[in-house]
Amino acid sequence: MAILSQNLSTTLTTTSTPTLNLNNLCTNKSLKFPKISHTPLKTPPLNQETSAKEAFATLSQILTQKREHFDEAFASVLELCSTKQDLPFAQQIHAHILKCHYVKDLVFLNTKLVFGYGKMRFLLEAQKVFDEMCDRSVYTWNAMIGGYVTNDEPLQALELYKEMRLLDFPLDGYSISSILKGCGLIDGLDIGREIHGFATKMGLVDSFFVVNSIVGMYVKCHEIITGVLVFQKLGHIEDVVSWNAIISGYSASGMKFQALEVFHQMCDFGIVPSTYTFVAVLKACEEPEFGKVGRSIHAMLLKSTCYINVYVANALIIMYARTDKMVEADNVFRMTYEKDSISWNSMLSGYVQNGCYVEAIDLFSEMILVGVKPDKVSVISIIAACGRSRNLSVGIELHGYALKKGLDCDVELGNSLMDMYVKCGKIDYVDFIFQRLDDKDYISWTTIIAGYAQNNYQFKAVELFREVINEGIHVDSSMISSILLACSVLKSDSLVKELHSYVIRRRITDVYTKKSLMNAYGDSGNINYARKNFMLLDNHDIVSFTSMISCYVNNGLAYEALELFLEIKETGLQLDEVSVLSALTAAGDLSALRKGKEIHGFLVRKNFIADGAIASSLVSMYASCGTIEDSCTVFKYTEVDDVVLWTSMINAYGMHGFGKSAIDLYTQMEDQNIVPDPVTFLALLHACSHSGFVDEGKMLFQHMQHKYKLQPWPEHYVCLVDMLGRANYLDEAFKFVEEMSMKPTSAVWSALLGACRIHSNRKLGDIAAKKLLELDPQNPGNYVLASNIYAEAGRWEDVEEVRQSMKIKGLKKDPACSWIEVGSKIHSFTAHDKSHPESNIIYQRLAFITEKLEKEGGYIAQTKYVLHNVDDKQKPKMLYGHSERLAISYGLLSTADGTPIRVMKNLRVCGDCHTYIKLASKLLERDIIVRDANRFHHFKDGSCSCNDMW
């Protein structure tokens, strides 16, 4: 008890919630818990030793012997029937009463019948008896009112009370107590106040149970302070029931601190807690911050040798489950001798809520083994466990159980089954259950729409949503978010706008919907609308910032993403893993090494754990910034055997042309029993393609299919065609395309066309160009690629035809752009760009470099890479102004001698620029690292890491 006192005092003094001052109840002396009786705290027993059948036999004997005082015998058996919930025997007794000639007080027995039927929840029978009575006592009225309240029909109870008042029938304390309970059920504060006034006027407020009912009414109507004032004024502070009402009211209203304070004062005043006290105060301890107090109350119960009945045990189980203490909850559960359905269900839901899905399934199996019949709540809990753990086999068994018991048509259980199948990816089963539901609610519709949206049935999700609108079904933010997810996958800007209009018309203004709209616009490529929705948010939290950063990154606006990330740091918001990963992706996209290192430093300072996701992003970021050494360092010092991390490192080697290192790392993966996934093989094939490892690439393709039983994706075929084409195995590549197990995608034909351009294979190039433009006529890059092949062959009429097709379709070529990070800024250049503030100096430096390369390195412009029909004299000038040369020129002006120059380009480096940069790296004695659309090029001492294969 001393432990509880100390913990309560600590909790009540450290919390910021204002305390409740009960000046009239107790003084400020130190807390002393009352001595709790060692008599077990038991509720009235539910099981009588005498069965209703035996009692009926005894009654028959009394009737046979024609003894007197039949009324008492009938009344005793009726009470036993209502306790045992034995309706058939009660109806037989009712029949005997009607036939019996020895009944003296029919009003008394009819009142017992009304009370019994009400208690057994057979209101129609109780009401029939009540209506047929010629004479009624106040006890009869009270029995009928109590029956209505017990059976959750408070409005009918109030009508009966109104009738009593109109008949001027004298009411007693029990009448008032029952009707006040009914007021609490319907939140009828005004009626309750009137009854309170009437009870005061009639002098009925002197009894404990009336005062308790008044206090309870105010508490249930959320007027707790008024209830406390009534309690104080009437002075029945020694009655534990009123204390229980106040504690329970505070706890149910979420005012946990006040509930614990009243319990503190109650114990200080010397009131012995009852079972209901402990149930109410343990409910107040279900928040994590009060978990220590809850454990102290449990300790007090154990030390007092007080009998912990099933109600208190259930409250302890729920309290421990809510505070993530499932070991303690299990201990209480195992020590509880008489478990009821709430005990089992509380443990099941506790395991599910705390992510202990295997334990939940095991407990459910135990429940069945010991003969406890699962109810709907049990089945719903275990279905949730199956869904969250993706345990489809057990889920199907439970579905079978529900079908056998006829429970699957229940809307709540059906919704749970649908959610489980959605999580397990069995969308056909979801539709089956949905069609069987007799009374679908909005959760049913939300679940199936979410299921279709999450399982790549986006059009079906949209179709169902239109049906929801047409039928006038309630639409909430959850359903809106699900359909917006479908629109995001479809990348349908028009559908998102349509939904946005619907949201505005329906005045759905919650933050969740606004964030979903922002994400949907971003995924659909409408970055302006995404930004506007972001700006319209009242409060920008870390989730909204992260979503907007992701929108920028996904739409190629990495610079804006990094700026927004810096803005988050300035606001002081606590960054999470997702925001950091998005920022690292943006830094990698920009090849902004300095920014990437700043983010890495921030992670170290904030003690972010370099787990698989963050470590993988760091590896990719450093690789994308051209520092493969830093990628290796991160990989080396990350103690996580994660396939994503290994794949990221393999991909890093591949994009830098280190094919052998990539294959060696794959061998190490196998040695350490790390199973590669399809993305791993995609990275390996990419590495082989850019390193000319044709035989190795073919072997890996076979490994993927036969050793690891992985079906190739379209991307794997693209890599293999690209690998064969780059190595000038064009006929083999074409044959491979024709024999593919799936229909070749536009990306496959694009890879073949690119190889035909490199090796000047006009015949295959024409075939590939035709196929490419047929399959993907809306991609401007395909037209540019075809146009370039025709231009290199001097087929200017074909070039003009392609350009006219682009113009008719409204397609535009992405302009070539290169950029370089100097200091904390990104400097970008387009071809022949003169917008830079230092443009004159840049061009002077560029002219100096070109002249030096021509005189000392023998550089001669390769005009065949000018893909425009212009005069030959103009072609060298067009090459000199390429964007990567401007970026390199600025880098030479702005960086210290000896430091590497890192330049990024959005398109492929042309052959002439490749030769130019090789010579520059040798004559200027500077390492130059260029990342183009295909790969990294490390230029050093006149050679390139790509070995002229790019």
Side-chain angles (χ1 to χ4, degrees), residues 78-308:
L78 282 172
E79 287 181 7
L80 186 60
C81 289
S82 62
T83 301
K84 298 288 291 182
Q85 297 288 300
D86 201 330
L87 179 65
F89 279 119
Q91 289 173 328
Q92 289 186 50
I93 299 299
H94 188 181
H96 274 285
I97 291 172
L98 293 175
K99 294 178 181 179
C100 185
H101 301 292
Y102 302 100
V103 173
K104 294 181 178 180
D105 193 343
L106 192 59
V107 173
F108 168 70
L109 288 178
N110 280 334
T111 300
K112 286 287 184 181
L113 283 167
V114 171
F115 175 80
Y117 282 134
K119 189 174 180 180
M120 288 184 284
R121 296 187 176 276
F122 286 90
L123 269 181
L124 290 177
E125 287 81 355
Q127 192 169 0
K128 184 177 180 181
V129 174
F130 180 83
D131 291 341
E132 291 175 352
M133 291 176 68
C134 298
D135 295 319
R136 302 174 186 139
S137 67
V138 66
Y139 305 110
T140 311
W141 289 88
N142 290 347
M144 196 66 238
I145 290 173
Y148 281 134
V149 173
T150 301
N151 289 274
D152 298 324
E153 295 289 348
L155 292 177
Q156 290 187 318
L158 287 169
E159 286 295 322
L160 210 57
Y161 164 75
K162 181 180 177 180
E163 186 178 345
M164 287 182 76
R165 294 285 299 276
L166 290 173
L167 293 172
D168 203 20
F169 202 96
L171 286 84
D172 62 8
Y174 291 99
S175 313
I176 298 298
S177 178
S178 295
I179 203 64
L180 284 170
K181 289 178 183 176
C183 292
L185 291 175
I186 62 170
D187 202 6
L189 181 61
D190 293 336
I191 302 173
R193 281 174 175 160
E194 188 274 335
I195 296 169
H196 179 191
F198 176 77
T200 303
K201 180 180 177 181
M202 299 300 295
L204 298 174
V205 293
D206 293 331
S207 60
F208 284 170
F209 64 88
V210 173
V211 173
N212 293 337
S213 298
I214 294 171
V215 172
M217 180 274 296
Y218 281 118
V219 166
K220 289 177 182 176
C221 293
H222 311 292
E223 287 285 334
I224 301 175
I225 300 302
T226 305
V228 171
L229 292 173
V230 171
F231 180 45
Q232 291 175 323
K233 184 176 180 180
L234 297 178
H236 296 297
I237 58 174
E238 66 272 18
D239 184 23
V240 69
V241 178
S242 294
W243 289 91
N244 291 347
I246 295 170
I247 294 171
S248 179
Y250 276 132
S251 183
S253 301
M255 304 168 74
K256 312 294 186 183
F257 174 83
Q258 287 87 342
L260 291 170
E261 184 185 47
V262 173
F263 177 68
H264 180 284
Q265 293 171 342
M266 171 185 169
C267 294
D268 192 37
F269 202 75
I271 306 299
V272 178
S274 68
T275 293
Y276 300 105
T277 312
F278 287 113
V279 171
V281 79
L282 286 169
K283 183 175 179 61
C285 297
E286 292 174 4
E287 299 294 334
E289 58 264 33
F290 297 120
K292 193 173 183 180
V293 180
R295 292 194 296 274
S296 297
I297 293 172
H298 188 191
M300 183 186 79
L301 284 164
L302 294 173
K303 287 183 179 180
S304 66
T305 67
C306 185
Y307 176 73
I308 301 177

Side-chain angles (χ1 to χ4, degrees), residues 13 63 86 182 252 408 660 665 736 893:
T13 54
L63 293 173
D86 201 330
D408 65 313
K660 185 177 185 307
L665 197 60
F736 177 80
L893 285 169

Side-chain angles (χ1 to χ4, degrees), residues 300-582:
M300 183 186 79
L301 284 164
L302 294 173
K303 287 183 179 180
S304 66
T305 67
C306 185
Y307 176 73
I308 301 177
N309 65 11
V310 68
Y311 304 108
V312 176
N314 291 344
L316 283 167
I317 291 169
I318 294 169
M319 183 269 293
Y320 280 128
R322 296 274 173 84
T323 55
D324 197 16
K325 300 288 181 184
M326 288 310 299
V327 174
E328 289 83 350
D330 185 69
N331 290 336
V332 174
F333 178 76
R334 299 298 172 189
M335 294 295 290
T336 304
Y337 180 69
E338 293 182 358
K339 302 178 183 70
D340 60 8
S341 61
I342 297 175
S343 310
W344 289 92
N345 291 340
S346 298
M347 279 300 298
L348 285 172
S349 62
Y351 278 133
V352 175
Q353 290 164 11
N354 288 281
C356 306
Y357 308 125
V358 174
E359 291 82 353
I361 293 170
D362 289 344
L363 185 67
F364 186 77
S365 300
E366 180 185 341
M367 182 179 180
I368 295 172
L369 285 173
V370 299
V372 178
K373 186 179 179 181
D375 59 13
K376 187 175 78 171
V377 177
S378 317
V379 176
I380 287 174
S381 291
I382 207 65
I383 286 171
C386 293
R388 295 176 191 177
S389 62
R390 309 295 191 269
N391 193 329
L392 182 60
S393 58
V394 175
I396 290 174
E397 288 184 30
L398 283 164
H399 189 185
Y401 176 84
L403 285 168
K404 185 178 179 181
K405 298 295 181 181
L407 295 173
D408 65 313
C409 293
D410 177 86
V411 65
E412 190 177 0
L413 195 142
N415 291 342
S416 299
L417 280 168
M418 285 198 295
D419 183 67
M420 183 268 293
Y421 281 125
V422 166
K423 288 182 169 63
C424 293
K426 291 291 182 180
I427 196 67
D428 292 342
Y429 292 17
V430 177
D431 187 67
F432 170 77
I433 298 167
F434 182 75
Q435 298 301 332
R436 282 179 58 86
L437 289 179
D438 297 327
D439 188 19
K440 304 175 182 69
D441 60 10
Y442 82 94
I443 297 177
S444 312
W445 288 93
T446 301
T447 303
I448 194 166
I449 287 173
Y452 281 128
Q454 294 167 17
N455 288 276
N456 295 319
Y457 290 87
Q458 285 76 31
F459 288 109
K460 185 67 175 177
V462 173
E463 179 185 332
L464 277 178
F465 183 72
R466 294 192 188 281
E467 188 176 340
V468 164
I469 295 174
N470 291 335
E471 294 193 9
I473 298 167
H474 171 72
V475 174
D476 62 359
S477 59
S478 179
M479 190 182 294
I480 292 290
S481 296
S482 294
I483 203 66
L484 283 171
L485 174 63
C487 295
S488 295
V489 177
L490 293 171
K491 300 189 181 303
S492 174
D493 181 43
S494 59
L495 274 177
V496 178
K497 287 179 178 177
E498 187 179 338
L499 277 166
H500 194 177
S501 299
Y502 175 80
V503 166
I504 293 172
R505 290 196 304 272
R506 292 294 303 275
R507 297 182 180 179
I508 303 174
T509 58
D510 62 286
V511 175
Y512 187 54
T513 300
K514 291 179 180 178
K515 290 177 181 176
S516 298
L517 278 167
M518 180 183 70
N519 291 331
Y521 275 125
D523 292 337
S524 301
N526 194 333
I527 197 66
N528 290 329
Y529 274 44
R531 188 188 292 110
K532 287 178 182 177
N533 276 272
F534 174 72
M535 298 304 297
L536 287 172
L537 291 173
D538 296 328
N539 294 304
H540 293 136
D541 57 10
I542 189 61
V543 176
S544 60
F545 269 113
T546 302
S547 297
M548 195 63 226
I549 290 173
S550 298
C551 288
Y552 281 136
V553 171
N554 295 335
N555 286 277
L557 299 173
Y559 187 78
E560 288 81 353
L562 282 178
E563 283 189 328
L564 194 58
F565 180 76
L566 293 174
E567 188 178 330
I568 298 177
K569 292 170 68 177
E570 292 174 0
T571 61
L573 287 172
Q574 187 68 36
L575 292 165
D576 61 8
E577 183 177 297
V578 180
S579 59
V580 172
L581 292 176
S582 297

Side-chain angles (χ1 to χ4, degrees), residues 116 191 222 249 272 296 315 390 437 453 545 595 676 693 704 728 785 844 883 922 940:
I191 302 173
H222 311 292
V272 178
S296 297
R390 309 295 191 269
L437 289 179
F545 269 113
K595 299 289 185 186
F693 294 165
M704 179 181 70
N728 202 14
L785 185 56
Q844 289 174 15
S883 60
K922 180 179 180 180
K940 185 175 182 179

